[in-house]
Amino acid sequence: MLDAPVLVLIDLEDQAGACAPTGPALELLTAARRLSGDVVALCLRAPDAPGAAAIAGAGASRLLVAELGDRSALAADAADAVVAAARAVGPGAILVVSDYRGKELAGRASVLLGSVAVSDAADLEEVDGELRASKLVLSGSWSTTVSVAPQAEGTPIIALRPGAVEAEAQPGAAPLEAEALAVEPAAETAAVELVSRESASAATGPALGEARTVVVGGRGVDGDFDLVRSLAEPLGAAVGATRVACDEGWIERSAQIGQTGETISPRLYISLGVSGAIHHTSGIQGAGTIVAICDDSEAPIFEMADYGVVGDVTEVVPQLVEELERLRG
Ligand SMILES: Cc1cc2nc3c(=O)[nH]c(=O)nc-3n(C[C@H](O)[C@H](O)[C@H](O)COP(=O)(O)OP(=O)(O)OC[C@H]3O[C@@H](n4cnc5c(N)ncnc54)[C@H](O)[C@@H]3O)c2cc1C
């Protein structure tokens, strides 16, 4: 275990009137608990009481709140807050979620702290006082492990991929008293103006990068994303797509998975009418179980699938949905 605290940047989401930590943020707290007995949570706005209880229940022993308002979405502002918290707490490591903002702020904060950043980590452990972070590189064909010594290289910032760790609650946690953290934004940060902010209108269900289950539609669904959603909804899954499906305008570009789209690591990935081109599969190397439904038995997706169905999606998917309904009564 590290003999210094681990600082964790906690993203909050508004759901049904509540302001609570996101699933990936709770995963970070579990990862932090495995590194140190002292876990400090940093929020960029105040969570509500159940949100603070969830943060305590996931293992944080302190809660810092830097009130950034809407600017918390900007990597530069978030990085300034992380740096201010690091100076206040003196952590042995800092964990953030490896999404677009997390990766950018990790790089920026590590420069400001004179330390190192590792992004896209899929695994993280402490060995003899050093941190070892593993990540997939070269389109997922190699796994590499980097080792960082916090004493020698300053406080490392690790951006951990959603789904890398299973969040575990810690029973009997004491409630946390939020401590206000003052953040003095750097001149470069203040020079950036937030013009507007809106969520993608077409997004429904869980966010693609955070979802435990993802159902993906390819060219084989022939534009019928209602078919994809008919399976995604009962599974509580996010809907993804291949580039072809996005190029065709069947779904918004943000749903694209692969080399030039999102990298995902769900527990379960189900593809419908996807051939499995390397440009697509490089984005799913961190997936747990892979299920493919495709009418071409020679399609490369079957080489990496744990379960495969050779068949027409318009016939197989309705049967699958019916079976799910039957099993759930
Ligand atoms: C530089 C570069 C970057 C790229 N980046 C990405 C990326 O980020 N993400 C990405 O996805 N692609 C990317 N691509 C494109 C990629 O190479 C493939 O063209 C694309 O992934 C193929 O998509 P697909 O599987 O939907 O289509 P196809 O390869 O055409 O496969 C469709 C499959 O569906 C099957 N099918 C057809 N009808 C049915 C049916 N009724 N039922 C069941 N199966 C059916 C077909 O037999 C076929 O196997 C990139 C390409 C380049 C050059």
Side-chain angles (χ1 to χ4, degrees):
M1 295 286 257
L2 298 176
D3 56 7
V6 172
L7 177 67
V8 179
L9 179 61
I10 299 293
D11 293 324
L12 300 172
E13 62 186 347
D14 296 305
Q15 258 188 11
C19 178
T22 62
L26 295 175
E27 293 167 9
L28 291 186
L29 289 168
T30 299
R33 256 176 30 226
R34 293 176 187 163
L35 302 176
S36 169
D38 187 3
V39 175
V40 181
L42 168 65
C43 293
L44 304 183
R45 63 195 166 106
D48 58 16
I55 292 169
S61 42
R62 274 179 79 186
L63 171 61
L64 305 181
V65 176
E67 280 292 356
L68 297 191
D70 270 357
R71 291 191 67 97
S72 63
L74 299 177
D77 291 74
D80 286 348
V82 165
V83 169
R87 292 197 171 126
V89 168
I94 301 171
L95 305 188
V96 303
V97 174
S98 193
D99 52 17
Y100 285 112
R101 191 200 60 169
K103 285 188 255 194
E104 188 182 334
L105 84 84
R108 190 180 172 92
S110 68
V111 169
L112 294 170
L113 290 170
S115 65
V116 294
V118 180
S119 63
D120 272 329
D123 195 18
L124 179 63
E125 59 177 347
E126 182 270 337
V127 179
D128 298 333
E130 291 192 359
L131 290 182
R132 299 218 176 135
S134 304
K135 60 194 283 186
L136 296 166
V137 295
L138 297 176
S139 295
S141 52
W142 284 77
S143 172
T144 59
T145 302
V146 291
S147 183
V148 186
Q151 296 88 346
E153 288 152 294
T155 305
I157 306 180
I158 314 290
L160 202 59
R161 279 163 67 152
V165 174
E166 186 85 41
E168 287 164 11
Q170 184 179 250
L176 292 173
E177 197 69 41
E179 303 167 46
L181 177 78
V183 181
E184 190 61 49
E188 299 81 9
T189 305
V192 176
E193 189 188 343
L194 179 66
V195 178
S196 69
R197 197 172 166 228
E198 56 190 80
S199 339
S201 56
T204 52
L208 196 53
E210 301 172 4
R212 293 179 157 260
T213 305
V214 174
V215 182
V216 171
R219 196 199 300 272
V221 304
D222 199 19
D224 187 1
F225 266 78
D226 285 343
L227 183 76
V228 183
R229 286 185 200 97
S230 73
L231 180 59
E233 274 164 22
L235 291 171
V239 171
T242 62
R243 185 161 110 174
V244 168
C246 298
D247 286 348
E248 292 287 344
W250 297 338
I251 188 162
E252 66 277 4
R253 177 66 61 194
S254 57
Q256 184 180 318
I257 293 162
Q259 187 179 312
T260 44
E262 282 258 12
T263 298
I264 58 168
S265 40
R267 299 266 183 273
L268 174 63
Y269 161 100
I270 304 175
S271 69
L272 311 180
V274 172
S275 64
I278 181 72
H279 300 110
H280 177 73
T281 55
S282 63
I284 61 164
Q285 297 293 333
T289 301
I290 296 178
V291 178
I293 304 169
C294 179
D295 69 359
D296 176 6
S297 62
E298 301 291 314
I301 191 76
F302 289 124
E303 285 167 25
M304 66 187 300
D306 298 288
Y307 300 94
V309 180
V310 179
D312 188 324
V313 287
T314 59
E315 291 168 15
V316 178
V317 174
Q319 289 178 49
L320 204 51
V321 173
E322 206 180 300
E323 186 62 9
L324 274 173
E325 280 168 5
R326 191 187 66 78
L327 288 171
R328 286 173 177 185

